[in-house]
Each structure stands twice: as C-alpha cells, then as structure tokens.
Amino acid sequence: MASGRRGGGGSRIGGALGAAIARSRNTAPAVTPVFSPLRALNRRQLSQIDLIGQSLSTVAPATGMIFIASWIISADPGVAGLAAILGTTAVVVAVAFCISQFTRRLAAAGSLYSFAFQGLPRRATLTMGAALLLGYLGIAISVLANSAVSLLGIATALGSAVSGTVPLLVCAGLVAGVVATIAVRGVRLATRAILVVELCSLVVICALMVTDPGTPTSSVAPGTAATLPFLALMVVFGMAGFESAAFFGAEARRPLITVTRAVLVTPILCGTVFVFAGWAALTGHADVVVAAYFEGTASGASTAMVVAVKVGVTFSWFASALGCAQAGSRLLLAMGIEGTVPRRLSRVHRRFRTPYVAVIVFTAAVVIGAWMYLVIFLGDSIVFDGFVEVAVVGAYTLLAVSCLRFLRRIGEDARTTTVVAVGIACVGAGLLGYLTLSGISDGQWGIPTAVLVVGLAGVVWAAVLKRLRPESLATMGAFDSPETTDLLPGAGELVLDDDGRPQLVSAHSLPGDRR
C-alpha cells in the first residue's frame, strides 16, 4: 500500500512538472530571452571520450614518439634524456593545471585566447591570440606536409616509384580536402574518427618498438647542458595542442568537468608514451622502427615493417591535421564573434552546426602554407619550426601570467596556484630568453626574430583594431553562458546586467510584475 502511494505521488509530481513545462512553452517570457554568444554551435553534445580524442589527435603522440626516439638515438643523451622528458612532462602538466583554473569556471570556443582576457590587458590578449594562431597554423602546416611525404613513402615501399614536388603538393591538397570535409560535417564525427585513428597509430608504433629486438646499448653517456634544453623544447613542441579540448567548452556535456579532465589527462598520457619511446631508443628497441620510417627499405627493414610504420605515422599526421583544423576554426569563430577578425568567420552551418567558413579559411591557409613548406623548407625547416616553438611557449607563458592575475582578481588565489603559475611563467620566459641568446650568439636570427614578431603582434593588432573597428576592443572575451531555454520552469529569469552578463533573478523581482 505504502509503495503504491509513493508511486501515485511520483506520477502526480511528474504530471505537474510536465504540465508546468508545457505551460512555459506556450507562455511568452516575462523578459527578452537571453542567448549565449556561442548558441549557433551544437551545444552540449560532446562526451568525455570525444574531448580526450580531440586533444590526443592534435598532439599526435605516435609521431612524437618517432622523432623523440630518433633524436635520442642520434644525440645519445643517456639517462639524462629520460629525466629531461619526465621533467618537461611535469612542466606541461603544471601548464595544464593553470589552464584547468579557467576550464573549471568558463566554457569558451576561444580556449586560451578567451581565458587570457580574464587576466591580461587587451594588447596582451591579442598577443596570445596571435601566438595561438601562429602555433596551430604552424603545427597544421607541418603535419599536413609530413602526411604527404609519408603517403608517398608508403607508395614507394609498395613498389610504386612516385616522387617529385608535384605529387607531394597533390597529396597535401587531397589530405586537406578530406580534413575540411570531415571538420565541416560535424564535430562528433571528427572527434571519434580521429580518436580511433590515433589509438590505432599508437598501438602500431608501441607494438613495433616492443617487438623490435634491436641492439641494446651497453653504456650510455650523460647528456650535456647544450643538448637537453633542445630535447625539452622538442617534448613541449610534441605536446603542443594538448589543451585543444578547451576549444569545445560550448559543445561539451558538463564542460566545466569534462574539458578539465581532458586537459589534465592528455599531457600525462603523452608524457608516458614519450618516456617509453625514450626508453626504447636507449635500449635499442627503437632502432629499426626509426630507420624504417626515415630510410625505408634502404635501411634493411622489411617491406612489411616499413609499411606498418609509415601507415601508423601517416594516420597520426592526418589526425593531428584534423584536430588542428577543428581547434583553429573555433579560435577564428570566437574572434569573429568579437569582431577582432572579420565577422564572416563566425558563420555556422545551419545543418551541421559547425563554423564552416572558419574551417574553410583555416584549411586553405594551411594547405597554402604546406605547399610553401614542401617547396621552400623541406629538409631545412629550422626557421619555420622556431616560429612555431616560440608561439607555443609564448602562449603558455602568457596563460600562466593570466592565471595568476585572474585568480587574484576574483579572490580565489591560493599558495599552490600562485607557486605553479609563477613557476611556469619563469620557466617559459627563461626558455625564450635562452633560445634568443643562443640564436644571437650562433648567428641564427630565426628564433630572435620570432620572439620579436610574436611579442609585437598584439600591439600592432590592437592599433589596427583601434583605427578600423574600435568597438571590437570592448567585446573581447566572449564565452558560453546560460540561456533562457536552459532554465527549468519556475527557476527564475535571466536578465543582462550593466556589463551585458546574464544574471539569474526571481520572476517576482522583475519590473512590472503584478503577482
């Protein structure tokens, strides 16, 4: 009997709630509805797995394993090399901790750019935006060019002698076309496809390194101070983009939780496989795999080994290009909403709910850059890589400073966050200073020039906006916010305060209420 009474009460409550919802749909709101600046996107659809897949794909850990193993084999830093990888991983995890201070509180499509605005002046925020654009464009250009090289390498290993600049350019164009198509078709399709691709690549490379007998190293020489900073920079560059899940705050389910988890977990996973690659290189287990990728069958590796390595790495290159296209397009979308770039870039596809204009523009810039990379830089990309590395390190350094100022502004700073943020800012500034002085002393002006360009980008950008579109400087920092349709009936009403921010108020406190 008691059970029956509870069931009847439950059905009455459910019926009342349903009736209230039905009435709310047929009743005009008491105030003008409030909408999120990012409402055009397909909000609240991505799961935790989707977000981790996005971040992993952008990093492309399978390719990072190959290059880190190759560097350790050639430079022979010894156990100090593994220590450098572990130490750098710890620094990147600390960067992730700083980012998580924002992702726990804000959901944005502009990621670090939108976060930087919460703690930095507008010029510094625009510098962050320029650094992110350069970083993601540079990574995408590099991976797209390398995917074309890998594709031709697979064809060569299978006996089809295809070589030359034209086939490389054609391959890069085809890969870019596939990337743009998938990115426009839908974010869930893209994130799940690239997660499967990247996991398969990781399994292939790890399995080959484990089963490769190699020639164990009898003794290892300690690394020198001159080589280890470059290994650290390589690891940072290898993990660049680990935070790309933060670009999908508006499109994620429970974004304050799931995005934060993805940002924190990704560098730990990548650092683990990088340490494994370093161990495999030191013990001789990576020799054949590295030789198979860079030298093909000429290294003495079997055709099956060469094809397996190149297919795994090529898939990883492709996944990274797709991850960068998705992240870069969201960055342009956020800037387009603000007006700091042409507003056409904020257009969203009516059916697929993706920023298709930004995807097309970003991918077009990437494929043009990849063609130039293949024609000009292939085989000697020190200057190009220097710009990308400076952009990435500069962005993370600015993020740490913004984190410190943001938490102090809202009164939620603690000793732990202060120590971590100050430490990351000092490490980033120190690394940039070391690279600048090293470049000047060696007569290599690429990195000093990159530091100057990135540093002045925000100042120049702000000056241009002040002259051509001054109102955009007042609308920076757009992020996702609750909408009127997100509220349960009877929960109150959303209104905009004097700063244009949505505030939840009681329906009884609205002006003109007669109840």
Side-chain angles (χ1 to χ4, degrees):
M1 294 295 291
S3 174
R5 285 195 295 271
R6 284 196 297 269
S11 68
R12 286 195 295 272
I13 293 173
L17 179 59
I21 294 174
R23 287 195 302 271
S24 70
R25 291 172 178 170
N26 297 321
T27 303
V31 296
T32 303
V34 173
F35 300 108
S36 166
L38 307 178
R39 70 181 309 263
L41 296 172
N42 200 351
R43 301 168 73 228
R44 309 294 184 260
Q45 61 164 325
L46 298 181
S47 67
Q48 184 72 76
I49 296 298
D50 295 325
L51 295 172
I52 292 177
Q54 166 64 31
S55 286
L56 279 178
S57 68
T58 308
V59 173
T63 62
M65 292 175 67
I66 293 291
F67 282 86
I68 287 175
S70 172
W71 188 90
I72 289 181
I73 290 172
S74 60
D76 193 19
V79 178
L82 292 181
I85 297 174
L86 281 171
T88 307
T89 299
V91 171
V92 177
V93 171
V95 174
F97 176 76
C98 291
I99 296 173
S100 72
Q101 303 307 306
F102 295 97
T103 59
R104 294 179 195 276
R105 297 169 172 85
L106 305 170
S111 185
L112 306 191
Y113 168 72
S114 298
F115 300 156
F117 180 75
Q118 304 301 317
L120 296 177
R122 285 177 170 79
R123 289 188 181 90
T125 301
L126 290 172
T127 300
M128 168 70 88
L132 281 179
L133 277 177
L134 284 174
Y136 275 94
L137 276 171
I139 295 169
I141 288 169
S142 177
V143 299
L144 182 61
N146 279 285
S147 67
V149 175
S150 293
L151 282 173
L152 291 189
I154 294 172
T156 301
L158 294 175
S160 300
V162 181
S163 61
T165 302
V166 174
L168 283 174
L169 301 183
V170 171
C171 285
L174 291 175
V175 173
V178 175
V179 164
T181 300
I182 296 177
V184 170
R185 288 284 298 179
V187 62
R188 292 184 69 184
L189 168 66
T191 54
R192 295 182 182 185
I194 57 185
L195 176 61
V196 172
V197 167
E198 190 59 47
L199 287 178
C200 290
S201 301
L202 275 175
V203 169
V204 169
I205 300 302
C206 289
L208 291 174
M209 286 186 176
V210 169
T211 57
D212 178 14
T215 303
T217 306
S218 57
S219 61
V220 291
T224 64
T227 59
L228 294 182
F230 287 97
L231 175 59
L233 191 63
M234 180 180 292
V235 175
V236 172
F237 187 58
M239 291 193 190
F242 75 90
E243 78 290 343
S244 66
F247 285 100
F248 297 86
E251 298 167 84
R253 303 172 196 162
R254 299 190 302 158
L256 304 186
I257 297 174
T258 54
V259 172
T260 299
R261 287 175 182 168
V263 168
L264 291 173
V265 166
T266 302
I268 296 175
L269 293 176
C270 293
T272 301
V273 297
F274 289 169
V275 170
F276 169 77
W279 165 84
L282 288 178
T283 57
H285 283 79
D287 292 354
V288 176
V289 175
V290 170
Y293 178 74
F294 287 102
E295 301 175 25
T297 54
S299 66
S302 65
T303 300
M305 168 71 82
V306 173
V307 171
V309 171
K310 288 188 177 293
V311 167
V313 174
T314 301
F315 280 168
S316 190
W317 288 129
F318 173 79
S320 182
L322 183 52
C324 288
Q326 293 213 109
S329 63
R330 266 68 183 176
L331 177 58
L332 291 176
L333 168 75
M335 292 178 172
I337 291 173
E338 299 172 353
T340 50
V341 297
R343 295 190 185 275
R344 291 183 180 179
L345 293 173
S346 64
R347 292 183 179 177
V348 174
H349 198 284
R350 292 183 179 180
R351 177 183 174 188
F352 302 125
R353 307 287 291 275
T354 55
Y356 71 102
V357 176
V359 169
I360 294 172
V361 170
F362 186 88
T363 308
V366 169
V367 73
I368 292 173
W371 287 341
M372 296 176 62
Y373 183 96
L374 290 168
V375 173
I376 300 173
F377 293 110
L378 191 59
D380 185 16
S381 59
I382 296 177
V383 175
F384 178 87
D385 292 343
F387 267 86
V388 180
E389 291 163 355
V390 166
V392 171
V393 175
Y396 293 159
T397 304
L398 287 172
L399 187 280
V401 177
S402 177
C403 175
L404 182 65
R405 292 166 58 95
F406 169 64
L407 293 178
R408 285 184 176 178
R409 178 171 63 82
I410 64 176
E412 296 184 13
D413 56 322
R415 181 175 298 177
T416 301
T417 54
T418 299
V419 170
V420 173
V422 171
I424 292 301
C426 291
V427 169
L431 184 56
L432 289 175
Y434 170 81
L435 293 173
T436 301
L437 294 176
S438 177
I440 294 174
S441 62
D442 295 339
Q444 298 178 354
W445 295 93
I447 288 183
T449 302
V451 172
L452 182 63
V453 169
V454 174
L456 293 178
V459 176
V460 175
W461 196 348
V464 172
L465 289 176
K466 187 175 181 179
R467 177 178 293 272
L468 301 180
R469 198 178 297 154
E471 69 279 2
S472 65
L473 294 174
T475 56
M476 292 175 61
F479 56 89
D480 195 26
S481 58
E483 295 187 339
T484 300
T485 55
D486 294 331
L487 301 180
L488 288 174
E493 296 285 354
L494 280 177
V495 297
L496 297 178
D497 62 13
D498 295 337
D499 295 327
R501 297 177 179 176
Q503 300 289 335
L504 181 63
V505 300
S506 170
H508 297 283
S509 64
L510 293 174
D513 184 79
R514 297 181 179 179
R515 292 171 291 178

